[in-house]
Amino acid sequence: MLDINKEIAQLNWNKEPRGLYEPIEYTLASGGKRLRPHLAIIAAEAVINGGLINSMDDVLPAALALEVFHNFTLVHDDVMDRAEVRRGQETVHVKWNDNTAILSGDQMLIEAYKLLAQVPAPKLPQVLKWFNEMATGVCEGQQYDMEFEHMNQVSIEDYLKMIELKTSVLLAYAMRIGGYIAGASPAQQEALYQYGLNIGIAFQIQDDILDVYGDPKTFGKAIGGDICCNKKTILLLTALETTDAESKAELLQWLMSTEQKEEKIAAVTALYNRLGVREACEVVLEEYTSKALAQLDFLPANSATETLRELAEQLAIRKS
Amino acid sequence: MLDINKEIAQLNWNKEPRGLYEPIEYTLASGGKRLRPHLAIIAAEAVINGGLINSMDDVLPAALALEVFHNFTLVHDDVMDRAEVRRGQETVHVKWNDNTAILSGDQMLIEAYKLLAQVPAPKLPQVLKWFNEMATGVCEGQQYDMEFEHMNQVSIEDYLKMIELKTSVLLAYAMRIGGYIAGASPAQQEALYQYGLNIGIAFQIQDDILDVYGDPKTFGKAIGGDICCNKKTILLLTALETTDAESKAELLQWLMSTEQKEEKIAAVTALYNRLGVREACEVVLEEYTSKALAQLDFLPANSATETLRELAEQLAIRKS
């Protein structure tokens, strides 16, 4: 198995001006799950029937491009969201400043395209086209996410559309691109894409659930952060759809409160419990997981496809 | 002659979410000289010996990509420089806000790559590689420009390197890419590139000169803006290299002053006059113009090449 962390560590950022490249090195060295390059590579392995691709060099540049792109979005999103900590370390705009985060972020996006330019020439036009569609989806998703903050009424449907754009299209195209470079048939490409799309939405729903119900020891961030800042998660949107007038009034009251953090988290969680919000969201989560799993029937049965099955199944019991 | 403004006006930004695409439409509709796409197209015309390319469709997407890229840099640079007005209208971060300028700017960069993806497939790998090199140069140049603001000592050599990256590589690659798509030989490509590089530097030097000596009626912005904010232009750097101790002391005194704008502009201009700064910079300007003109010997003699000659010659007498 290709060691993605090692490959990322080998990217060379020892270039001038340091003020531009140091924040890129800092961001890419900060870890993360490397989910996107892994998905691209597993997708490639799945369609070449579990064996090793003759030269993994063909898939690697695109896989790395997807990771660099993802990290670019984090750097710019953190500026826009004024987030101070990411992966346990200061965000770029805090450690340096906003201008550095903007410009180094821009350069990261360009670096992603530099990696993409290494895709074998016959496959480059299609991969570039998909990559651009993916990048557009992510920006559109971030725009909707920012707009939702200031909207009173957001439907669960709108929310699902937003996370599909902001999170899932990147996973979906990671799989399609990885598979395509490895020679997937159009039907396999579509299955890989749909798997990624559905698992991405399931992943985000699980994230929302864990923010309230996760184990603080393993979750890695403070529990209840979304409740504190009234983030429009699927849990909150589900609770707001309740027809229980008393619960709704209580919820709206807490939404207006910006003090009493601990009390707010406890009260809103109790309300979620009373309304069965967690269970309702888990039903939706399982729907998307099932849709992802169903796509695997269109792929060869091999160890890579098995890994994809386990990934989808583990989603439902993820704790961090 | 292809109408670039019409082609840009035909790009479709009537998409959702409006908050993402409206600022892009606003920026691209604000005009500008469209120098970069024009250079790409003139370069193409020059190497096909003045005739029309069979299908201008081959060059147009790359030409538009260069213009969209240039406008992306303006949107992000204006955030970083806190500039409030651009082409006579409010900058994006003023009309909307910083987050909008960051995210719509990101999307513009992606849109540039979408246009680039339309380059004929056999030429796409090379064009993408050059475009990435160009974009990297522009970001590095902007980083140096920001760093220079806080440095006491900047040499004229450093300054010329910075403007080469920030301004010239975009003009140089515009010409190389336009020529390459139209079938330029490697020697012609190099001549086009060098022409663009040298004319770009000459262009920026002329800009610095006009900021002090331009005609307020035709220049389009206030005269002396660079003097007011101590911008490290080639004029200031040339003046700072003087060995006349009295003049140097007077200049440093004025650099510390942030009040008395009118007096400062008048005094520093008088000092420039006394030291012959304008003439010294015009010598450098003419050196770069000559280098640009010399490249034309490697191109076919035709009306497009003639246009390039006129452009270089007019540079020296540009008033706006």
Side-chain angles (χ1 to χ4, degrees), chain B:
Chain B
M1 181 74 192
L2 201 68
D3 185 343
I4 285 290
N5 275 312
K6 198 175 145 199
E7 297 293 337
I8 287 167
Q10 281 175 357
L11 295 171
N12 175 26
W13 308 112
N14 189 18
K15 292 182 281 194
E16 297 288 341
R18 296 303 302 140
L20 185 67
Y21 291 106
E22 219 179 302
I24 299 178
E25 187 163 28
Y26 171 84
T27 302
L28 287 170
S30 70
K33 289 184 285 288
R34 312 299 193 196
L35 180 62
R36 290 141 194 92
H38 273 130
L39 285 179
I41 286 163
I42 296 171
E45 289 175 342
V47 297
I48 50 161
N49 221 351
L52 278 175
I53 300 182
N54 271 342
S55 166
M56 211 59 201
D57 291 352
D58 283 358
V59 179
L60 184 62
L64 294 175
L66 292 157
E67 182 64 12
V68 173
F69 175 85
H70 173 58
N71 279 269
F72 141 73
T73 67
L74 300 181
V75 171
H76 276 195
D77 283 7
D78 285 342
V79 177
M80 294 185 252
D81 302 342
R82 309 311 306 163
E84 297 186 355
V85 176
R86 163 82 60 188
R87 296 170 181 161
Q89 65 182 31
E90 284 178 317
T91 50
V92 171
H93 71 97
V94 170
K95 189 172 168 73
W96 285 273
N97 52 53
D98 279 17
N99 283 1
T100 297
I102 294 170
L103 192 61
S104 289
D106 290 344
Q107 184 57 30
M108 287 174 85
L109 177 50
I110 295 160
E111 295 288 346
Y113 281 103
K114 279 188 177 178
L115 287 160
L116 210 64
Q118 296 173 35
V119 167
K123 305 232 158 147
L124 179 61
Q126 182 63 73
V127 171
L128 178 60
K129 191 166 172 288
W130 282 337
F131 195 90
N132 289 334
E133 281 173 21
M134 175 281 290
T136 297
V138 173
C139 284
E140 290 179 357
Q142 169 68 3
Q143 177 68 27
Y144 283 120
D145 198 15
M146 293 197 301
E147 288 178 7
F148 285 0
E149 275 178 48
H150 309 288
M151 282 164 63
N152 285 325
Q153 289 268 337
V154 175
S155 70
I156 291 177
E157 194 188 341
D158 288 339
Y159 168 85
L160 290 171
K161 185 73 202 161
M162 182 275 284
I163 61 172
E164 179 176 324
L165 288 167
K166 183 168 172 171
T167 304
S168 290
V169 290
L170 179 41
L171 306 189
Y173 275 114
M175 301 210 59
R176 173 173 267 171
I177 289 172
Y180 171 73
I181 294 174
S185 69
Q188 289 174 336
Q189 289 169 34
E190 184 61 22
L192 291 166
Y193 181 86
Q194 292 297 334
Y195 172 91
L197 205 64
N198 286 293
I199 209 179
I201 297 172
F203 200 85
Q204 186 59 51
I205 293 172
Q206 182 69 322
D207 230 35
D208 287 358
I209 295 171
L210 287 175
D211 198 86
V212 178
Y213 294 103
D215 180 345
K217 290 197 200 88
T218 54
F219 185 52
K221 20 182 194 177
I223 296 299
D226 290 347
I227 292 177
C228 279
C229 69
N230 296 344
K231 194 164 183 349
K232 292 192 182 67
T233 66
I234 191 165
L235 285 85
L236 177 56
L237 297 175
T238 303
L240 283 168
E241 289 196 344
T242 181
T243 51
D244 170 352
E246 195 186 330
S247 297
K248 187 152 186 171
E250 192 189 335
L251 183 56
L252 291 172
Q253 188 106 27
W254 277 113
L255 287 181
M256 284 184 293
S257 139
T258 52
E259 317 256 309
Q260 302 169 281
K261 276 192 177 187
E262 293 307 317
E263 290 87 340
K264 181 172 177 173
I265 295 172
V268 173
T269 305
L271 221 148
Y272 285 173
N273 292 341
R274 199 163 77 218
L275 296 169
V277 163
R278 179 183 186 166
E279 292 71 19
C281 293
E282 278 172 349
V283 168
V284 183
L285 167 69
E286 276 157 31
E287 278 169 20
Y288 283 100
T289 309
S290 298
K291 280 191 213 167
L293 286 168
Q295 299 298 327
L296 300 181
D297 294 345
F298 301 98
L299 298 175
N302 57 39
S303 66
T305 310
E306 206 42 50
T307 303
L308 293 174
R309 185 178 311 281
E310 284 162 20
L311 184 65
E313 285 169 351
Q314 278 172 10
L315 248 188
I317 51 163
R318 185 165 67 98
K319 293 287 176 289
S320 66

Side-chain angles (χ1 to χ4, degrees), chain A residues 223-231 257-258 261-262 264-265:
Chain A
I223 296 298
D226 290 347
I227 292 177
C228 279
C229 69
N230 295 343
K231 193 162 183 351
S257 140
T258 52
K261 277 191 176 186
E262 293 308 315
K264 181 172 177 174
I265 295 172

Side-chain angles (χ1 to χ4, degrees), chain A residues 299-310:
Chain A
L299 298 175
N302 57 39
S303 65
T305 311
E306 205 44 48
T307 303
L308 293 174
R309 185 179 310 281
E310 285 163 19

